[in-house]
Amino acid sequence: MKIKNICCIGAGYVGGPTMAVIAQKCPEINVTVVDINEKRIAAWNDKDVENIPIYEPGLSKVVDEARGRNLFFSADVDKAIDQAEMIFISVNTPTKAYGMGKGMAADLKFIELCARQIARVSTSDKIVIEKSTLPVRTAEALKNILENTGNGVNYQILSNPEFLAEGTAVEDLMDPDRVLIGGDIDTEKGKEAVEALVNVYAHWVPKERILTTNVWSSELSKLTANAFLAQRVSSINAMSELCEKTGADVNEVAKAVGMDSRIGSKFLKSSVGFGGSCFQKDILNLVYIAKSFGLNEVADYWEQVIIMNDHQKRRFAANIVRTLFNTVAGKKIGFLGWAFKKDTNDTRESAAIYVADYLLNEQAEIVVYDPKVKEEQINADLDYLNTRSEKENRQRIKAVNDPYQVSKEAHAVAILTEWDEFKELDRKRIYDEMLKPAFLFDGRNILHQSSQKAIGFKTYIIGENCDLL
Ligand SMILES: NC(=O)c1ccc[n+]([C@@H]2O[C@H](COP(=O)([O-])OP(=O)(O)OC[C@H]3O[C@@H](n4cnc5c(N)ncnc54)[C@H](O)[C@@H]3O)[C@@H](O)[C@H]2O)c1
Ligand SMILES: O=c1ccn([C@@H]2O[C@H](COP(=O)(O)OP(=O)(O)O[C@H]3O[C@H](CO)[C@@H](O)[C@H](O)[C@H]3O)[C@@H](O)[C@H]2O)c(=O)[nH]1
């Protein structure tokens, strides 16, 4: 089957970059990305390609090449669905904030709305692809909705989870470790649909890296991959606390452990805690699924990854308070970084939000510099927690455009995101502008204890033994 028109529902961090790369690599296919958020669509269509709503290294170049040629962004969802032979569903699947499964299960209301819209609008056969991360067996529910419309349209449902990481999305999409496609490989129609999607990716991904499985394996593999990755971060973070007590250095431990080829060196960087829209949400979802099958030990095992992560964020914040003579009330604390990792403007579940919330409870005054995050977003992140009034949040936290403003008369500076530019800052200048003793808290392990000491800082680096503890 030759695909001529692709529609993607959801123009977010996944839908936007993924479709831009498909369009760039498959010039003969028209790719239309649709969203109900008209403001987001307008930003994707902004004349100045640097204003697209998502910051990812290399993305504006890809969009610039394909946009208007075979890549389109539109708010006319019905039209794009009707015209496409292949529809990706790439909408958000946040943790449920109400009702049964509140705080754990994935909220599938956006997915269901998409399925109902596809069922209502379609007049020709469609391949419907789960691009969003979904609980195992969601395809069954989609099938039920789509196949009960009685309008004679045939649907094939595939699972094609996305493994890109933010900050390296374009790189990951261009050169993925693997592309996973789950489909109904026991039927002719199912095989045809899988083949059609394989052919799209085969434009640039070597065939041996395109893995086909049954739908349930594909759905569950995505949750499993994220659980394993997050588990590594929690594992090294657990060791970071032990390192601080014993004189071991977490970087050295990570290196020594990672050189074992069975363990591998990636994802062993100790930090103030993992953030991002996926890890916590997907593990909670996994825990919920395990519990719903009565697998309590399995659920408890994975939940520990989240418990450890919450502990890591909290202990970083508590350590700041303890070190600053047990009070930060009225004290200026400078934050370098707010995004959940470098090279992205995404702040969802960023550790910085929780550290700030803790310090604001202690009545600190926080000043933030992040090269890609605006004050508006910082305010929205804190307001969302609902810990205090919006007015109080506005009074106590400010964003600045110059990293050196963060240190001006600050009692402490904390590094919350590992932006490369933070490594290049003039530390002597920062030190000179701070109140003394000048405390520096490195939550990303990017500094070296000895060189900070030489300047005069009192430094805490996560996972390193230091005189502040
Ligand atoms: N962000 C990542 O790095 C990443 C990576 C892999 C997988 N995922 C998964 O991909 C999915 C999407 O994540 P995201 O980060 O792109 O989310 P996002 O919030 O950035 O984007 C989702 C978009 O879907 C739109 N939307 C919701 N319902 C809609 C509807 N009925 N019709 C049209 N548009 C609708 C929203 O307006 C929003 O713009 C999630 O399931 C996530 O877990 C995310
Ligand atoms: O050694 C490490 C690696 C990561 N992190 C932190 O972990 C979080 C997540 O980082 P990363 O996984 O690089 O970014 P995401 O964009 O959240 O990507 C994850 O989540 C996506 C959404 O499901 C998946 O597609 C990706 O494969 C998976 O890596 C960030 O806060 C990082 O700072 C660490 O603290 N130490």
Side-chain angles (χ1 to χ4, degrees), residues 343-376:
D343 291 339
T344 177
N345 59 349
D346 195 351
T347 65
R348 290 177 288 181
E349 291 301 325
S350 179
I353 304 170
Y354 296 94
V355 174
D357 192 51
Y358 188 104
L359 295 175
L360 291 173
N361 277 345
E362 295 289 333
Q363 302 194 343
E365 311 279 339
I366 300 178
V367 177
V368 185
Y369 168 74
D370 186 292
K372 292 289 172 196
V373 181
K374 301 199 172 87
E375 186 167 68
E376 199 186 342

Side-chain angles (χ1 to χ4, degrees), residues 14 56 133 161-168 172 178 222 225-226 229-230 232-233 236-237 265-279 281-282 309 339-342 344 346 349-351 416-418 443-444:
V14 169
E56 277 293 337
T133 303
E162 183 48 61
F163 295 101
L164 70 80
E166 288 178 29
T168 52
D172 295 342
R178 78 318 208 169
K222 173 64 195 176
N226 273 357
L229 288 167
R232 279 175 77 92
V233 179
I236 199 68
N237 282 344
S265 60
K266 292 181 180 163
F267 252 73
L268 287 179
K269 184 86 183 148
S270 174
S271 66
V272 56
F274 61 73
S277 64
C278 295
F279 281 176
K281 155 180 90 70
D282 292 348
N309 197 50
F340 81 96
K341 64 187 279 198
K342 72 171 180 176
T344 177
D346 195 351
E349 291 301 325
S350 179
L416 276 307
T417 313
E418 73 284 18
R444 292 292 180 167

Side-chain angles (χ1 to χ4, degrees), residues 287-307:
V287 169
Y288 182 76
I289 294 169
K291 277 193 180 152
S292 68
F293 285 106
L295 308 179
N296 293 328
E297 289 77 8
V298 177
D300 290 349
Y301 177 76
W302 288 112
E303 193 166 17
Q304 201 57 37
V305 173
I306 304 281
I307 293 172

Side-chain angles (χ1 to χ4, degrees), residues 19 154 199 208 281 286 313 322 350 425 432:
M19 293 304 126
N154 287 310
N199 289 339
E208 62 278 10
K281 155 180 90 70
L286 192 63
K313 292 183 273 190
R322 205 170 41 247
S350 179
L425 291 174
D432 286 344

Side-chain angles (χ1 to χ4, degrees), residues 9-15 34-37 40 77 90-93 110 113-114 117 131-133 162 164 166 222 277-278 281-282 348:
I9 310 180
Y13 283 87
V14 169
V34 292
D35 205 295
I36 39 175
N37 182 341
R40 210 168 200 181
V77 184
S90 188
V91 299
N92 36 329
T93 49
F110 304 112
L113 281 172
C114 290
Q117 191 164 7
K131 188 49 124 176
S132 298
T133 303
E162 183 48 61
L164 70 80
E166 288 178 29
K222 173 64 195 176
S277 64
C278 295
K281 155 180 90 70
D282 292 348
R348 290 177 288 181

Side-chain angles (χ1 to χ4, degrees), residues 183-247:
D184 186 2
I185 31 189
D186 295 331
T187 65
E188 268 319 302
K189 288 261 181 219
K191 261 196 247 164
E192 244 176 58
V194 169
E195 208 41 46
L197 186 55
V198 168
N199 289 339
V200 171
Y201 284 108
H203 278 74
W204 78 98
V205 181
K207 278 247 167 122
E208 62 278 10
R209 282 200 237 157
I210 305 177
L211 189 66
T212 56
T213 63
N214 78 32
V215 182
W216 322 127
S217 306
S218 172
E219 287 178 336
L220 191 55
S221 297
K222 173 64 195 176
L223 295 182
T224 310
N226 273 357
F228 273 51
L229 288 167
Q231 182 197 43
R232 279 175 77 92
V233 179
S234 275
S235 297
I236 199 68
N237 282 344
M239 299 322 289
S240 75
E241 194 170 10
L242 198 52
C243 285
E244 289 166 17
K245 299 284 181 217
T246 56

